[in-house]
Structures are given as structure tokens and as C-alpha cells.
Amino acid sequence: MNLPNKLTMFRVFLIPFFVLFMLVDITKADRWIALAIFIIASLTDLLDGKIARKYNLVTNFGKFMDPLADKLLVCSALICLVEMAKLPAWMVIIIIAREFIISGFRLIASDNGVVIAASYWGKFKTTFQMVMICLLIADIEVISVLTDIIVWIALLLTVISLIDYLVKNKSVMKETKGAGK
């Protein structure tokens, strides 16, 4: 268990605490504690990948758990935001559906020996989703218009990145035609 993998597991460990402070009324600072936890967890995502690549610590465990930890964190946050009536469920369904589609697509690709790397669209999408979640948790009235704009940009990037993955990797699906018959 190297440092990047420990950071990934730490991110997973933080998720229940994040959800707890998002949904349970414990203190007057719940939302700020949840925001701090989310930011720390998001930063571990940035850090573990950089460390793994810089020091050649990339492992199969990390390749599997890192994206899973990211999806668990973001999906947990989005579901909490629906529960708190800060995001409409239909938006969250689109965002989560995209994650399932891309994960399935990557699984099919890996079964065919193809690795689908993250695209710039996917990275922009992730960045905007993280910023969107932070702004929605902070819920600062003076920047509510900015928050709304970021929400729509995050949704748009979610759809664009999905289309980008599918178009760029359509050959993966062609190679698997008939494989399930």
C-alpha cells in the first residue's frame, strides 16, 4: 500500500463523514465542515495521481480504486445536494448516468486490451463539477448567479465529455460486435 493508494483510501474513508455533515444537523458549522472535507478529499485526488506518476507508483489497485473513489465522492455529494434541494434530480441523473456509461465503456475497452485515457473534456468536466459542488455547499447568496452558471457549464461539459469519449472510441464498440452472441 503505497502513498498514492493510501491517499485514495483516505478519500473513501472521508466520504461517510462528508455525507454525515451534509445531511445531519450536528453543529451550526455543518456545511462548512462538509465543504472542508470535500475540498480535502478533492485535493487528495489531485495529489495521489501526481505522486503516482512522478514516482512511478502506479498500481492496478490505484488504477481501479482512484476513479472509483472519485465517483463515490462526487456521486455522494450530488445525491446529498438533491436531498437538500440544491440540485434537481434530473441533472444528477444525467451526471451519474454519464459516469456509468463511461465506466462500462472503459471496462469493454480494457477487455479488448484498449486503455481509454482521460480526455481534456473529462478533466474540464471534473473540475467544473468539483467547483459546482463547492459553490452549492457554500451556498453564498451574493454569487448565486455565478453558481447557477457553473452548474449549467458542469452539466454541459458532462454531456460534451460523454459524446467526446464515445466518438473518439467508437472503434472499441465495433470490435466487440458479435462478442456477446
Side-chain angles (χ1 to χ4, degrees):
M1 185 66 72
N2 61 32
L3 179 59
N5 291 341
K6 287 178 183 175
L7 288 170
T8 297
M9 292 311 298
F10 180 63
R11 184 162 63 257
V12 172
F13 173 78
L14 288 176
I15 294 169
F17 297 99
F18 167 73
V19 171
L20 179 73
F21 284 102
M22 284 289 285
L23 299 179
V24 179
D25 191 19
I26 299 170
T27 74
K28 290 183 180 191
D30 290 340
R31 134 180 102 153
W32 300 110
I33 295 169
L35 180 60
I37 293 170
F38 185 82
I39 290 170
I40 290 166
S42 297
L43 291 175
T44 66
D45 178 33
L46 184 67
L47 196 57
D48 66 10
K50 284 188 185 280
I51 293 170
R53 284 184 296 277
K54 182 175 181 178
Y55 296 103
N56 197 25
L57 297 172
V58 176
T59 64
N60 286 335
F61 177 83
K63 286 179 194 175
F64 172 76
M65 276 307 293
D66 183 61
L68 181 60
D70 299 342
K71 285 170 185 37
L72 288 171
L73 177 65
V74 170
C75 290
S76 296
L78 294 172
I79 292 166
C80 288
L81 290 165
V82 168
E83 173 71 18
M84 299 166 69
K86 292 185 182 271
L87 267 181
W90 68 267
M91 277 187 178
V92 172
I93 290 168
I94 290 171
I95 293 169
I96 292 175
R98 182 255 184 222
E99 298 306 325
F100 275 103
I101 291 167
I102 296 302
S103 294
F105 202 68
R106 282 189 164 142
L107 187 60
I108 292 168
S110 75
D111 282 350
N112 290 300
V114 177
V115 175
I116 300 176
S119 72
Y120 286 109
W121 286 112
K123 291 178 182 185
F124 291 142
K125 178 257 331 165
T126 300
T127 301
F128 272 86
Q129 284 180 358
M130 298 291 192
V131 170
M132 171 190 78
I133 290 166
C134 289
L135 290 172
L136 288 168
I137 293 169
D139 194 21
I140 301 169
E141 185 62 35
V142 239
I143 59 169
S144 64
V145 172
L146 174 65
T147 301
D148 290 344
I149 291 168
I150 298 293
V151 167
W152 285 101
I153 292 172
L155 183 65
L156 182 64
L157 289 172
T158 297
V159 174
I160 290 170
S161 68
L162 171 63
I163 293 167
D164 179 61
Y165 272 107
L166 297 178
V167 168
K168 283 182 179 171
N169 299 289
K170 63 184 172 207
S171 63
V172 171
M173 292 307 286
K174 288 180 184 173
E175 292 171 15
T176 62
K177 275 190 177 174
K181 293 180 181 177

